[in-house]
Amino acid sequence: MSNFKCCECGKTASLQTLNYTCECGGLYDLDFKAPKFSLDLIDKNEFSLFRYRKFFPIQNEIWREVTLGEGMSATVKFDDKLYFKLDYAMPTLSFKDRGAVMLIWLCKSIGVKKVLQDSSGNAGNSVAAYCARAGIECEIFVPKGTSEKKINMIKAFGATATVFDGTRDETADACRKKALEERIYYANHVYNPLFYQGTKTYVYEIFEQLGRVPDNFFLPVGNGTLLIGCELALTELFEAGLIQKLPKIFIVQSENCAPFFKAKDKPLNVIPKPTQAEGIAIGKPMRGKEILASTYQGEREVITIPENAIIPTRQDLAKKGFYVEHTTAAIYAAYEQYIKTNRLQGDSIISLCGAGLKSEH
Ligand SMILES: Cc1ncc(COP(=O)(O)O)c(C=O)c1O
Ligand SMILES: [Zn+2]
C-alpha cells in the first residue's frame, strides 16, 4: 500500500493513521502514481469498477467483500454534441459510490471496526451502504433539517444517523471532534484521498466505452470530489499517450454559491444563498486552494447555473426519460445556457450524478 502525503508540508503518513489531517493541519493527498494506463490491464471479466483495479493504490482481494457492483454506468449519446454519463444508476443512486467503495475498501483492509462521517446527502448514504456490505459499524452526522428520506436510507443500512442541532459546518465540526476524542476512523469523502481514486474511474469508463474522451467535461463542483478524480485520470490517459488533447473542464457552480467563480489562488468568501442545487451548495470547499492550484494542463472555466432554470430543466429531462435530482438538472441547465451564448468546440459530456428519487419534490 502507498502512503498519505500532506499537501502542505509533504510529510508522509501510513494509510492506517487515525489522524485525518497532517500535524501541520494540511490535508492528505496520496503518494501514489498509477501504472501507465492501458486497456490491456483492465480485467474484462469483472463488471464493477474493480475491472480497473490494477490502477488503484490498494492491491488486495478484500474489494470482493465490499463491492456492490458500482461503476460501469452507461454513456448515452443524447444528441450530436452531447453525451450523458448515467451515474445515477449506481447502488445508492449517485456518483458518490465510486469514491465510497474505495474508502471503505481501505477501512476493511486496515481493520477499521467503526467509521464516522458527516453528510447531509449522497455521500452519507453511500458510506453507510458500503459499511453495511463490509460489516463495519457506521455513524453518520446529519444537520437538523436533513430530509427524512435520506435519514431513513442511512438507518436502513443499519447505520446510526445522529441529527445535530446546527448548520452543515457545525455538524461536520462535531463529527470531527468525536472522531478525534474517541479515536474513530473519519471516513470523509473530502478529507480522504482514497475517494478520488474511485471517482477517477468516471474517466476510465468513458475512455473504454467510447475509445476516446469528449472535448468538454461539465462537472458539478461543491467540494470537487468528481473534479479531482477526473483531472487525475485525464492526466493519466494523456501521459500514457492515449489522448492527444486534454479536454476542457467546466467547473459548474450554483449562481447562489460560487466560491470558485472569478477566484484566483483561494476560493472567494461567499455567503451562500439557498439553491435548488443543494449537492453543490458548498461555501467553503475544503480543497479549494488545491483545486485552484491544480496542475491540470487542459483548459478550465468556471460557469454558474441560472437558479430559475433548474426546475424547468429537471422537468424537461424527465420528459425525455432522465429522472434526475435538482443538482444534476442544474448541470444540464448550465450547459444549455453556455451553448446559447458561446461557441463550444467539439462534443461534451455531462455527469447525470444523482437520481430524481433522491429529491424531495
Ligand atoms: C448529486 C450530487 N452532485 C454533485 C455533488 C457535488 O460533489 P462535490 O461536493 O464532491 O463536488 C454532490 C455532493 O454531494 C451530489 O450529491
Ligand atoms: Zn503537513
Side-chain angles (χ1 to χ4, degrees):
M1 270 196 244
S2 42
N3 282 318
F4 288 135
K5 186 172 179 192
C6 173
C7 65
E8 296 285 340
C9 74
K11 202 166 165 194
T12 59
S14 148
L15 289 188
Q16 313 205 4
T17 177
L18 284 176
N19 299 331
Y20 51 80
T21 60
C22 176
E23 302 159 350
C24 80
L27 297 194
Y28 285 131
D29 281 337
L30 267 192
D31 194 8
F32 168 69
K33 194 161 169 55
K36 189 171 162 187
F37 193 85
S38 154
L39 292 176
D40 296 337
L41 291 179
I42 298 172
D43 176 358
K44 310 253 175 22
N45 295 316
E46 172 54 39
F47 301 100
S48 71
L49 56 74
F50 289 95
R51 64 202 271 110
Y52 307 109
R53 63 187 181 277
K54 291 251 167 69
F55 308 103
F56 295 163
I58 308 174
Q59 294 293 324
N60 66 35
E61 291 298 301
I62 292 170
W63 62 270
R64 295 182 194 278
E65 298 160 46
V66 182
T67 181
L68 290 166
E70 56 293 313
M72 300 290 287
S73 68
T75 299
V76 176
K77 192 156 192 180
F78 183 62
D79 64 30
D80 276 354
K81 293 272 186 191
L82 182 64
Y83 289 92
F84 285 154
K85 180 103 174 110
L86 268 56
D87 266 16
Y88 64 79
M90 292 273 178
T92 75
L93 310 181
S94 86
F95 81 92
K96 300 274 181 185
D97 291 350
R98 293 185 185 278
V101 70
M102 284 285 175
L103 199 45
I104 302 307
W105 178 23
L106 169 66
C107 290
K108 182 103 180 144
S109 300
I110 60 177
V112 168
K113 298 284 181 273
K114 175 172 181 181
V115 305
L116 280 175
Q117 154 77 316
D118 51 82
S119 161
S120 57
N122 288 323
N125 287 168
S126 193
V127 166
Y130 284 97
C131 281
R133 172 82 166 106
I136 293 174
E137 195 186 333
C138 175
E139 179 177 350
I140 309 284
F141 275 59
V142 296
K144 198 170 170 188
T146 298
S147 77
E148 280 298 302
K149 229 185 215 176
K150 283 172 180 155
I151 292 178
N152 289 342
M153 192 165 167
I154 290 168
K155 288 184 181 160
F157 291 128
T160 304
T162 301
V163 180
F164 187 80
D165 192 1
T167 63
R168 176 72 188 82
D169 288 334
E170 288 161 358
T171 305
D173 287 343
C175 183
R176 283 191 285 271
K177 187 162 172 277
K178 177 162 180 169
L180 271 186
E181 283 174 3
E182 299 183 24
R183 304 304 284 162
I184 301 171
Y185 198 92
Y186 184 49
N188 180 272
H189 54 297
V190 188
Y191 278 75
N192 198 309
L194 257 293
F195 205 87
Y196 312 112
Q197 294 294 321
T199 54
K200 75 180 186 180
T201 59
Y202 179 79
V203 169
Y204 290 170
E205 284 174 19
I206 293 167
F207 181 73
E208 191 187 355
Q209 288 163 336
L210 302 182
R212 64 181 191 93
V213 293
D215 302 287
N216 307 290
F217 277 56
F218 284 79
L219 298 173
V221 176
N223 274 305
T225 59
L226 186 56
L227 170 72
I228 296 175
C230 282
E231 291 189 348
L232 254 173
L234 287 166
T235 304
E236 285 176 24
L237 294 183
F238 185 70
E239 286 177 352
L242 295 171
I243 56 175
Q244 272 60 56
K245 185 172 178 276
L246 284 164
K248 177 166 178 177
I249 290 184
F250 287 89
I251 293 177
V252 185
Q253 297 224 280
S254 158
E255 67 180 359
N256 288 351
C257 180
F260 287 113
F261 190 64
K262 301 207 164 119
K264 299 241 168 1
D265 53 351
K266 56 179 198 305
L268 304 184
N269 275 328
V270 296
I271 298 167
K273 286 192 263 162
T275 168
Q276 297 284 340
E278 57 172 17
I280 50 173
I282 305 288
K284 290 191 174 39
M286 293 299 303
R287 291 192 186 259
K289 258 174 42 195
E290 215 181 308
I291 286 170
L292 289 165
S294 161
T295 54
Y296 184 69
Q297 299 290 308
E299 247 188 289
R300 286 162 127 206
E301 184 173 345
V302 183
I303 60 172
T304 57
I305 302 149
E307 188 66 26
N308 61 10
I310 297 177
I311 289 180
T313 305
R314 180 168 183 252
Q315 287 160 353
D316 285 352
L317 280 173
K319 292 272 156 51
K320 289 174 180 144
F322 299 94
Y323 189 47
V324 296
E325 67 170 78
H326 292 77
T327 305
T328 296
I331 312 308
Y332 182 57
Y335 167 83
E336 279 197 309
Q337 174 178 266
Y338 188 85
I339 57 170
K340 262 191 222 146
T341 44
N342 297 271
R343 266 202 44 220
L344 191 58
Q345 298 285 338
D347 60 357
S348 304
I349 187 156
I350 292 180
S351 162
L352 298 194
C353 44
L357 287 173
K358 289 267 190 135
S359 292
E360 282 301 287
H361 37 80

